[in-house]
Amino acid sequence: MELSPEERRKIYEEEKARIEAREQLEKERGRISPEATVNLPPNVAGLLCYLGAWITGIIFFVLEQKNKWVRFHAAQSIVTFGALAVAGGIFGWIPIFGHVFSAILGITGFVLWIVLMVKAYHGERYRVPLASELAEIMVGWTFKTSDYPQPPSPPAPPEMRETPPAAAPPPTPPPPPAAADTVDKTKRRADDSFRRRRELRITGYAFAVAWSVILLVAFNFFHQYIAFYTYNAASSTWTWNSFFTNDIGLWLPILNAALVISIIGHTVMILVENNILRRAIHVITTGFGLASVITLLVVYPFDFSTSVIPNSTAAASTDLGVRIALICIAIGFGIGLMVRIIKLLVSIGRAVIKGADVN
């Protein structure tokens, strides 16, 4: 399809503006702020605030007295990792279950540590729920979209017309102050809404990674503790009989594969923002989840006999309930897989159509 000179000029202007805006934003994010106490680029200082958890957070919060962006990251590091350290120490004094919760907090802290360093280095102000509000109080700064460095408008490109230039249209009068203020507020709200949705997705991905790690450790090393506990009055001791049989070894490989795929996939989605990639990873993780549930239903490595649950009625009811629950979960995974495949195909189709229109 032949493009008119005006259409070619418009495409050229949009592409040049996009490139120059990106380059200018990268320069602004990487430059040394004239209002900074620490002689470091803000993105590097933000990363270092999290590198040593709450320790480097305190260091930068004390040293940096001017740049509120760096001070916010330092304060958020203090609140987030300080709270996790205190909570982990408290849980460490509780026998058995305390150690489990302490391990969960450690995994969660590790995931947050990676995410926060990556986001700070890329010039993003990722907000940890609750901790970010306390950090803003400590800094005395409520974030606004205008706090991000804004690139200047690019200069107009040279004319790219094949025909003699037409008479220049009369200049468009500037919008009245009220209209300009409304447009600016609408843009800020849209940017804030997009950023909040992105932050919520990253938080969900981080918890998905932590939950997958917990399941990986629990089923490979502690599955024998998923048991029916009984009290022996003669010896005054508690004993338990595990619900799992030795057939669990037939199910663990597919479960481990599904959990590892989930950890890798959600980690990639934390680092890369791409709609088609995200939908493809959802299809893969859902497919592996469906395979693990079907394998569990086929192998069925459970023992609900009277040797484990003394009451025969309770044992039979538990066996039936577990089978029904697994069937329902498998159906849910199957429906979810079909929906995700359709969404992936639609996204690919839209990308192809958009690319054809541009060409």
Side-chain angles (χ1 to χ4, degrees), residues 124-203:
E124 299 182 31
R125 184 175 176 272
Y126 181 72
R127 303 174 78 251
V128 179
L130 298 180
S132 60
E133 283 79 1
L134 294 175
E136 288 177 348
I137 294 173
M138 293 171 63
V139 177
W141 175 47
T142 301
F143 172 76
K144 302 183 292 296
T145 304
S146 57
D147 290 326
Y148 276 130
Q150 301 295 326
S153 301
E159 293 295 327
M160 297 181 60
R161 295 189 176 94
E162 296 178 358
T163 58
T172 303
D181 185 62
T182 302
V183 172
D184 187 56
K185 288 181 179 179
T186 303
K187 182 180 181 300
R188 286 202 302 268
R189 283 197 294 267
D191 291 342
D192 290 340
S193 177
F194 174 81
R195 187 170 293 105
R196 283 195 297 268
R197 289 197 299 269
R198 171 64 178 161
E199 289 174 353
L200 288 174
R201 284 200 301 269
I202 292 178
T203 302

Side-chain angles (χ1 to χ4, degrees), residues 256-276:
N256 292 338
L259 294 175
V260 170
I261 291 294
S262 176
I263 293 171
I264 296 174
H266 286 95
T267 302
V268 170
M269 287 190 288
I270 289 173
L271 302 176
V272 180
E273 175 67 12
N274 183 280
N275 186 49
I276 295 179

